[in-house]
């Protein structure tokens, strides 16, 4: 007697839509991880500058690292960087206005250098009038946007990020998590929104540049047997 042969079903092929969704999800996750670690690194370096100049003060019991910073600062900055870096290209696609101004890594690195310089100036430069100093940093931050971004969505997101981050910082300082020396804008320094604005533009540029490497999935062609 001839025995009937049962063929084991092979691996099921995913359709082009499922493949595209999966690849996009992986791409977003990879970009988010990269942005997170960039944010952590910048937070460690820039926060060290602020602490060395006694601009920000943390309670002694929360300082646990060689960078003299609270343990929660780098992860929070890394998470915020990932969200901002992913949000910028997402808004660009939603508005149908792809950002094409100075889309190369050399421009992104110059933007990072200018942002670090603005942050360094906020810690190193001493002005007799805090209001004049804040105006100077505001001009530098807007100049950073004009030089490396020039998009309306980028400016709007930068302003929104600066406002939200300043409110969160005010609440943290109000609850005694840490403090600023010589506050002149409620509980913080008046130039802090300028730093947040410049940081948002910088991480947005990095996120846009990384988004250019988004995986493009070629739909699989079905073959008829």
């Amino acid at each position: 007697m001839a025995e009937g042969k049962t063929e084991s079903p092979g691996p099921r092929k995913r359709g082009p839509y499922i493949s595209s969704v999966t690849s996009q999800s992986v791409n977003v996750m990879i970009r988010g991880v990269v942005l997170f670690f960039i944010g952590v690194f910048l937070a460690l370096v820039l926060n060290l500058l602020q602490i060395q100049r006694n601009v920000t003060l943390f309670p002694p019991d929360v300082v646990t690292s060689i960078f003299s910073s609270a343990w929660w600062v780098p992860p929070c900055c890394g998470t915020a960087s990932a969200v901002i870096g992913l949000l910028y290209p997402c808004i660009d696609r939603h508005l149908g206005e792809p950002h094409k101004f100075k889309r190369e890594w050399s421009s992104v690195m110059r933007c990072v250098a200018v942002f670090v310089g603005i942050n360094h100036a906020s810690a190193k430069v001493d002005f007799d009038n805090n209001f004049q100093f804040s105006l100077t940093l505001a001009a530098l931050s807007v100049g950073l946007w004009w030089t490396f971004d020039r998009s309306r969505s980028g400016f709007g997101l930068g302003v929104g990020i600066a406002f939200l981050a300043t409110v969160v910082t005010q609440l943290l300082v109000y609850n005694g998590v840490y403090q600023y020396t010589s506050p002149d804008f409620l509980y913080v320094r008046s130039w802090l929104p300028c730093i947040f604005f410049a940081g948002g533009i910088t991480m947005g540029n990095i996120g846009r540049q990384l988004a250019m490497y988004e995986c493009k999935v070629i739909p699989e062609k079905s073959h008829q047997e």
Side-chain angles (χ1 to χ4, degrees), residues 3-85:
E3 297 181 0
K5 297 181 180 179
T6 58
E7 297 182 356
S8 60
R12 298 179 61 184
K13 293 184 178 181
R14 297 178 300 176
Y17 177 76
I18 300 298
S19 299
S20 177
V21 171
T22 304
S23 298
Q24 290 177 2
S25 301
V26 173
N27 180 268
V28 170
M29 183 176 64
I30 293 174
R31 284 189 285 139
V33 171
V34 172
L35 289 164
F36 175 83
F37 282 107
I38 292 175
V40 168
F41 175 75
L42 289 177
L44 291 174
V45 174
L46 300 180
N47 199 40
L48 178 62
L49 293 174
Q50 300 285 346
I51 293 175
Q52 285 182 339
R53 296 288 294 179
N54 292 325
V55 176
T56 56
L57 300 175
F58 289 92
D61 55 336
V62 302
V63 176
T64 58
S65 71
I66 60 174
F67 293 97
S68 300
S69 176
W71 65 268
W72 51 267
V73 172
C76 289
C77 292
T79 303
S81 299
V83 172
I84 294 170

